[in-house]
């Protein structure tokens, strides 16, 4: 019997694929929705009874699939806190898919899971005792961290929640600017969304420590289990960094787990201009970061770090199975299949998982800590440049000062009765024109245009050109509202990379 699928000739097909992808990365093609009927006519077919072979599939990919891909890798797209992967990240992902399809056994890819996590911890100035775990992104990384927090909190009152279930009311303390994945984690972990207590923020979007302490005092005598205090090292909306030292000190005083969500903003610690904002990170019991954001990895890589990885194993172990652990030897390994390696599958929620560490290793080997620092400093400076231009122009207004690489600003006109509606129309026109694609958010009740400078391909020219385009569209729309499309923009484009 002949297998119909091609299982080799990667050199030949990668050369052809690379040519097509390099053309895509010139961003000279129209948006996928320019002529959707053209590619849908080819891709929207019934289930094939007989295959067409790899050469024909490659042709369809080259002509109809890749040219109609996402706008997110475009250097002018600053809407989401994610970006297109760098070349070495994409190549390392492919290498893992072919050479080590599972995060298991004693091999070089498995070795780099731990090596790269150690590099990340050192790079991001985490306490030396912290150990990590990769997962599919910030949402799962938060879930894993809060799973450790739940285990710790309930064990302290004599309950093993992973085995016995959650008993009684619990509390998670978050700021009003925290990512919505925290509430989902509370639901999945059996704490319930109602366990999440929202703490007020200041005008800059940072948790107010005094408000947190008032809530902790109020709850102290209640019959409930305090699970964690969650602080932000770079909020999704505005990039705000909570006062980590004050919050961490309160968490320790009240004997509550201190978790820091740094999915987007933790690498900002490398920027000397803002490094001081991370004081107190050493107090954290758990921290998360997403390499698929600022590091330029392909989407699907988040990292959780905890002080005690044994808590993760108690919280998430799937226990021994006869076809996995019992199929390995207890003797000294002489073959890669003699052991499963570090039991990452018992530290989180994934059994089947790709080897993500090789991607992070490749990214850091390529550019080093200095290269990543330069990227972060460039992007943070771009956000400040947008704010400076907005300060200097009578038709622009900064709605929140940048802490990191996000700047929230808007177009203003004294004769316009509804600036939110005007800026929503400006934003929709930006998206339709496709050169510069920020998102929007709401800052203290006002709609803001919100670029987040993040991608390796994104440079200062994108920041300057975005402001120019906002000014041009604003002037056009205030004179003739019909020049740009209307929109039902809700005001928020969420972080889809969690």
């Amino acid at each position: 019997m002949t297998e119909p699928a091609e299982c080799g000739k990667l050199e030949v097909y990668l050369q052809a694929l690379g040519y097509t992808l390099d053309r895509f990365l010139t961003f000279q093609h129209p948006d996928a929705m320019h002529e959707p009927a053209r590619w849908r006519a080819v891709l929207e077919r019934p289930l094939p009874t007989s295959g067409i072979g790899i050469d024909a599939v490659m042709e369809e990919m080259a002509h109809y699939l890749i040219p109609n891909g996402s706008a997110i890798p475009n250097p002018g797209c600053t809407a989401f806190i994610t970006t297109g992967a760098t070349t070495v990240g994409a190549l390392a992902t492919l290498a893992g898919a072919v050479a080590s399809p599972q995060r298991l056994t004693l091999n070089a890819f498995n070795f780099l899971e731990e090596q790269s996590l150690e590099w990340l911890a050192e790079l991001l100035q985490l306490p030396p005792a912290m150990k990590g775990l990769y997962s599919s992104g910030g949402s799962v990384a938060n879930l894993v961290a809060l799973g450790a927090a739940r285990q710790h909190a309930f064990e302290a009152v004599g309950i093993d929640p992973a085995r016995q279930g959650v008993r009684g009311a619990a509390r998670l303390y978050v700021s009003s600017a925290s990512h919505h994945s925290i509430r989902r984690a509370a639901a999945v972990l059996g704490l319930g969304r109602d366990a999440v207590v929202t703490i007020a923020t200041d005008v800059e979007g940072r948790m107010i420590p005094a408000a947190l302490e008032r809530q902790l005092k109020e709850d102290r005598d209640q019959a409930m289990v305090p699970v964690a205090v969650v602080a932000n090292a770079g909020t999704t909306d505005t990039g705000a960094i909570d006062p980590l030292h004050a919050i961490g000190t309160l968490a320790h005083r009240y004997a509550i787990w201190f978790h820091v969500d740094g999915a987007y903003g933790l690498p900002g610690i490398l920027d000397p201009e803002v490094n001081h904002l991370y004081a107190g990170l050493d107090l954290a019991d758990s921290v998360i970061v997403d390499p698929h954001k600022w590091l330029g990895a392909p989407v699907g890589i988040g990292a959780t770090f905890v002080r005690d990885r044994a808590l993760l194993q108690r919280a998430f172990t799937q226990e021994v199975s006869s076809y996995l652990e019992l199929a390995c030897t207890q003797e000294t390994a002489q073959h890669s299949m003699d052991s499963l390696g570090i039991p990452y599958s018992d530290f989180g929620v994934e059994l089947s998982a790709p080897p993500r560490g090789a991607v992070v290793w490749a990214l850091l080997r390529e550019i080093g800590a200095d290269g990543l620092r330069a990227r972060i400093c460039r992007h943070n400076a771009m956000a400040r440049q947008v704010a400076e231009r907005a300060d200097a122009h009578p038709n622009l207004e900064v709605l929140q000062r940048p802490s990191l690489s996000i700047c929230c600003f808007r177009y203003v006109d004294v004769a316009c009765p509804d600036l939110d509606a005007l800026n929503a129309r400006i934003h929709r026109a930006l998206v339709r024109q496709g050169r510069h694609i920020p998102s929007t958010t709401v800052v203290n009740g006002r709609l803001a245009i919100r670029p987040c400078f993040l991608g390796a391909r994104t440079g200062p020219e994108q920041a300057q050109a975005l402001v120019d385009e906002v000014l041009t569209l604003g002037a056009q729309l205030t004179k003739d509202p019909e020049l740009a499309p209307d929109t039902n923009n809700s005001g928020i484009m969420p972080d889809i990379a969690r």
Side-chain angles (χ1 to χ4, degrees):
M1 178 178 178
T2 303
E3 168 58 49
E6 176 59 64
C7 296
K9 299 184 180 178
L10 281 167
E11 182 178 3
V12 173
Y13 292 112
L14 282 175
Q15 184 174 1
L17 182 64
Y19 174 77
T20 304
L21 289 172
D22 279 341
R23 289 182 60 193
F24 174 84
L25 291 174
T26 65
F27 304 106
Q28 301 300 309
H29 53 274
D31 184 74
M33 292 305 291
H34 177 66
E35 291 183 323
R38 180 172 174 271
W39 51 266
R40 282 178 176 168
V42 175
L43 302 181
E44 191 173 18
R45 295 174 178 270
L47 172 68
T49 302
S50 299
I52 60 174
I54 188 171
D55 292 315
V57 171
M58 292 291 291
E59 282 292 312
E60 291 187 357
M61 289 174 62
H63 290 97
Y64 301 103
L65 182 64
I66 292 171
N68 295 293
S70 172
I72 289 174
N74 191 313
C77 183
T78 56
F80 301 119
I81 307 184
T82 184
T83 183
T86 63
T87 299
V88 79
L91 293 174
T93 299
L94 175 62
V98 175
S100 185
Q102 275 275 28
R103 181 185 55 185
L104 297 170
T105 77
L106 302 178
N107 61 72
F109 287 86
N110 192 274
F111 174 82
L112 287 179
E113 291 290 293
E114 197 76 353
Q115 173 75 80
S116 63
L117 285 165
E118 291 173 0
W119 281 5
L120 266 185
E122 180 182 352
L123 178 76
L124 302 174
Q125 302 171 36
L126 300 182
M130 281 197 160
K131 293 290 187 180
L133 168 75
Y134 288 118
S135 60
S136 61
S139 292
V140 177
N142 271 328
L143 173 67
V144 169
L146 294 176
R150 181 194 67 170
Q151 194 70 23
H152 174 266
F154 279 90
E155 285 183 355
V157 296
I159 298 169
D160 180 352
R163 185 172 299 279
Q164 300 169 295
V166 172
R167 300 180 182 180
R171 285 287 183 268
L172 275 174
Y173 301 93
V174 307
S175 86
S176 56
S178 288
H179 195 265
H180 51 210
S181 64
I182 301 295
R183 283 178 170 76
R184 181 164 59 190
V188 172
L189 291 168
L191 306 174
R193 289 187 176 90
D194 288 347
V196 180
V197 178
T198 301
I199 307 300
T201 55
D202 61 20
V203 293
E204 298 296 324
R206 301 169 299 195
M207 184 189 288
I208 301 172
L212 172 63
E213 185 164 24
R214 283 194 297 270
Q215 188 67 54
L216 293 177
K217 286 180 177 178
E218 182 179 324
D219 290 348
R220 182 166 48 185
D221 298 326
Q222 305 296 317
M224 60 185 64
V225 178
V227 172
V229 175
V230 180
N232 298 299
T235 59
T236 299
D237 269 6
T238 66
I241 300 172
D242 288 333
L244 302 179
H245 188 270
I247 295 170
T249 299
L250 282 172
H252 281 220
R253 185 186 305 162
Y254 285 82
I256 306 174
W257 186 279
F258 179 39
H259 173 57
V260 176
D261 183 347
Y264 151 55
L266 189 58
I269 199 170
L270 297 177
D271 184 349
E273 292 283 331
V274 296
N275 176 271
H276 64 282
L277 298 177
Y278 295 84
L281 183 64
D282 59 313
L283 299 174
D285 296 293
S286 59
V287 178
I288 73 159
V289 66
D290 278 356
H292 67 217
K293 291 183 168 65
W294 238 328
L295 270 71
V299 169
I301 305 181
T304 302
F305 292 90
V306 296
R307 288 185 182 274
D308 182 4
R309 204 158 56 178
L311 276 168
L312 290 179
Q313 190 156 23
R314 296 201 295 276
F316 294 108
T317 182
Q318 61 179 357
E319 301 182 343
V320 175
S321 59
S322 58
Y323 75 98
L324 284 177
E325 290 86 354
L326 295 183
C328 296
T329 181
Q330 301 300 314
E331 302 171 358
T332 301
Q334 299 180 28
H335 188 277
S336 62
M337 294 289 287
D338 281 346
S339 171
L340 299 180
I342 295 174
Y344 295 110
S345 59
D346 283 327
F347 298 155
V349 296
E350 298 172 296
L351 173 56
S352 296
R356 301 176 174 107
V359 178
V360 175
W361 167 83
L363 294 167
L364 293 176
R365 278 293 279 160
E366 181 189 22
I367 66 172
D370 289 344
L372 182 59
R373 181 180 295 106
R375 180 187 302 164
I376 289 163
C377 290
R378 176 176 86 239
H379 291 150
N380 288 348
M382 288 164 61
R384 292 192 291 270
Q385 289 162 10
V386 171
E388 289 166 5
R389 283 198 65 188
D391 285 336
H393 199 286
N395 291 115
L396 296 176
E397 177 184 20
V398 178
L399 295 184
Q400 183 162 314
R401 296 281 153 199
S403 296
L404 297 171
S405 64
I406 296 173
C407 183
C408 296
F409 73 107
R410 67 175 179 171
Y411 188 89
V412 294
D413 188 296
V414 294
C416 178
D418 189 343
L419 289 175
D420 284 356
L422 172 61
N423 280 276
R425 292 173 67 86
I426 291 171
H427 172 257
R428 187 47 50 195
L430 287 167
V431 172
R432 297 286 171 82
Q433 291 179 181
R435 291 186 294 269
H436 304 98
I437 308 175
S439 72
T440 63
T441 193
V442 175
V443 177
N444 297 320
R446 296 175 292 177
L447 185 79
I449 294 171
R450 175 199 163 277
C452 176
F453 304 110
L454 194 81
R457 299 177 180 88
T458 302
E461 63 277 12
Q462 274 81 35
Q464 299 301 328
L466 168 63
V467 176
D468 291 341
E469 194 166 359
V470 168
L471 287 169
T472 299
L473 288 168
Q476 291 175 344
L477 282 168
T478 51
K479 291 178 182 177
D480 185 356
E482 298 303 319
L483 285 177
D486 200 356
T487 177
N488 292 318
N489 195 315
S490 66
I492 297 176
M493 293 181 76
D495 172 12
I496 60 168
R498 291 273 190 144

